[in-house]
Amino acid sequence: MKACKTIFFAALLSAAFSLAAAPSFRGAIGGCATGDLTVPLNKEKTWGTIPLAGFAAAQANLAEWAILRGEIAAFASDVSESDIFSDNQAKIRINELSFVLQRRAFTATNYFSLFLGAYEPIGSDAFLMRHFGIEGIASQLTKSYTSLCGSPVRSTKGTGISYIVNFDKAPIATGAYFFFNKNKEGNWAMNLDARFALSSNYATLDFSIGVGAPIQDRYNNNDVVLVIDTISLHGGVDFLLGSKYSHSLFFQAGVEDITVKGKGAGVLDGDEVKLLIEPRINFNTFKFSLTAYSLDKKSVEEFVYLNDPIGAGVTFYKDDIEGKRGDITLGIHAFASLSQIKLTDFLEGKNIGSAAYSAYLTPYAIFPLSATASMETMAQVGVKDIAGDRALKFKIGVGAKKTF
């Protein structure tokens, strides 16, 4: 599969050098630093962490018909053992690198893309924002500073191509993706996904479903050209019934892989199923939302507010407080959560006595610094593992984003 990446980069460079028009650029940069302190009530030892997260995204319009996009993220789970001026372990990844050709034909715009990484994943709002020009619809609780957009529930991640058509006379975009990636067993697989999205004043939908198949060159200890005896099903959906500015219901779900081999299905890992449901109430004086979620542990580690993969809570906020440089947002999250357990444990009727129950209260504020920049502050206090080794948990965070 290294050959696929080499071909991708060669095609990308060839296309870029062949463009004669002067490019225009736009992008965004953001970062967040938090301090996390845990104080056990039954032990003497306390401990803390200082996670850092950041991203940088850019888009170059190389011509009227060509777009180059890239986004990189960095995340360090703890820099408290030394300091930020010394070597620290961190995760650095390219979220997306893509080259898009766009062309109008009749009453629609056609988009043909070459991509590497997580390309417009379901749940991130990237597809909706790019094709319909709307604001993001994702939950506030899934905010992170490792991406310009939100957290995905299903990733179109790998090396591949896509074709999307966006209709002028209807708020609809649809298309297909063909890409290669590594499955959960570490084997290369080829995938074919279909996508459909719409955006109106009454509903917003982003839906994808696809199939993957491992690439094998041996079968029953014999060399073969290609054999497919296993497939995996995956998909995701973002759905907002109503408008972001009125009472609404938001639903999000994703499944990474359901393996099917022969006559049976494989075991579904709990981290591969992601769900979030959120009724949102919009009053004249304030807004609030009720949220229930089950997400994967890896994603939660990069979130600003959440600490555990399963939970429920309520958010009260007001986002139209007049300020000198723009509207200020003030709010508070209150939620209870579970760790050391997965959603599939409930569905399979397993004993959940080992689960750790926690509760958190998180006031936050978002201040505009200019027309293109904002700063966010938060403070969190909670009780971790209420029924077991109880501990008080404190978190303070500061983040900022700027577009250019």
Side-chain angles (χ1 to χ4, degrees):
M1 289 303 107
K2 290 183 179 180
C4 293
K5 296 182 180 180
T6 303
I7 294 172
F8 173 87
F9 280 113
L12 185 63
L13 291 173
S14 176
F17 282 120
S18 67
L19 298 172
S24 61
F25 295 90
R26 63 178 179 176
I29 189 169
C32 179
T34 57
D36 193 333
L37 179 66
T38 301
V39 183
L41 298 181
N42 301 326
K43 300 177 182 179
E44 295 182 357
K45 184 180 180 181
T46 64
W47 66 90
T49 60
I50 304 178
L52 299 176
F55 75 92
Q59 174 176 314
N61 296 316
L62 303 175
E64 292 183 357
W65 48 270
I67 301 172
L68 177 64
R69 296 190 180 108
E71 183 180 86
I72 188 170
F75 177 75
S77 59
D78 185 17
V79 298
S80 63
E81 294 184 0
S82 55
D83 57 67
I84 60 174
F85 301 101
S86 303
D87 294 337
N88 289 280
Q89 291 187 349
K91 296 184 292 184
I92 298 177
R93 66 173 180 265
I94 296 178
N95 289 338
E96 175 189 345
L97 182 61
S98 61
F99 180 69
V100 183
L101 301 176
Q102 59 180 17
R103 186 173 180 84
R104 294 220 3 98
F106 301 105
T107 59
T109 303
N110 300 275
Y111 299 87
F112 178 80
S113 306
L114 300 171
F115 63 85
L116 282 171
Y119 185 58
E120 300 178 339
I122 295 286
S124 72
D125 292 333
F127 188 89
L128 296 172
M129 295 167 69
R130 291 172 179 176
H131 287 277
F132 301 118
I134 65 173
E135 295 183 26
I137 63 173
S139 172
Q140 296 183 51
L141 287 178
T142 58
K143 177 180 290 187
S144 76
Y145 281 85
T146 55
S147 175
L148 176 63
C149 301
S151 175
V153 292
R154 164 59 196 167
S155 295
T156 307
K157 186 175 183 179
T159 304
I161 60 176
S162 72
Y163 171 72
I164 301 294
V165 56
N166 193 335
F167 298 96
D168 294 343
K169 295 185 178 181
I172 293 174
T174 187
Y177 300 77
F178 178 73
F179 58 99
F180 296 89
N181 66 357
K182 284 191 175 183
N183 59 19
K184 60 184 179 181
E185 285 80 23
N187 301 318
W188 284 102
M190 54 184 178
N191 301 266
L192 180 63
D193 288 18
R195 191 162 195 165
F196 176 84
L198 66 85
S199 178
S200 71
N201 294 330
Y202 308 103
T204 301
L205 173 68
D206 188 7
F207 173 74
S208 174
I209 189 169
V211 60
I215 301 173
Q216 302 178 68
D217 57 6
R218 290 188 63 82
Y219 185 72
N220 290 336
N221 295 322
N222 296 315
D223 292 331
V224 296
V225 176
L226 177 66
V227 62
I228 297 176
D229 66 345
T230 302
I231 62 171
S232 62
L233 306 177
H234 49 253
V237 60
D238 263 7
F239 179 60
L240 179 66
L241 180 61
S243 167
K244 186 176 181 179
Y245 306 100
S246 64
H247 304 320
S248 60
L249 175 65
F250 177 66
F251 175 75
Q252 188 177 66
V255 177
E256 288 294 345
D257 281 297
I258 300 178
T259 302
V260 179
K261 184 174 183 178
K263 298 182 179 180
V267 177
L268 186 64
D269 191 301
D271 282 342
E272 295 173 350
V273 181
K274 307 169 189 179
L275 295 170
L276 187 148
I277 185 168
E278 187 174 84
R280 301 170 179 175
I281 310 300
N282 190 341
F283 293 117
N284 292 330
T285 55
F286 70 95
K287 303 175 183 179
F288 81 90
S289 57
L290 300 168
T291 309
Y293 64 90
S294 175
L295 303 169
D296 63 300
K297 184 178 179 181
K298 183 178 179 181
S299 295
V300 170
E301 289 177 353
E302 300 182 7
F303 290 165
V304 177
Y305 301 120
L306 299 183
N307 302 296
D308 302 315
I310 298 177
V314 59
T315 299
F316 293 88
Y317 65 101
K318 185 173 178 61
D319 58 2
D320 56 0
I321 302 173
E322 186 176 350
K324 184 177 180 180
R325 296 181 177 87
D327 289 341
I328 298 171
T329 299
L330 295 178
I332 186 168
H333 301 298
F335 54 94
S337 58
L338 297 173
S339 60
Q340 302 175 17
I341 195 172
K342 299 178 181 179
L343 178 63
T344 51
D345 294 335
F346 289 98
L347 301 178
E348 296 172 1
K350 294 182 179 179
N351 184 7
I352 59 173
S354 61
Y357 300 82
S358 305
Y360 302 94
L361 194 65
T362 312
Y364 69 96
I366 303 175
F367 303 94
L369 301 176
S370 67
T372 59
S374 63
M375 181 179 71
E376 180 175 4
T377 61
M378 57 86 72
Q380 185 177 88
V381 59
V383 181
K384 187 177 180 180
D385 196 5
I386 297 174
D389 295 330
R390 287 188 300 275
L392 297 179
K393 188 176 180 66
F394 304 93
K395 182 190 292 187
I396 297 176
V398 178
K401 292 182 179 180
K402 178 177 175 56
T403 59
F404 54 87

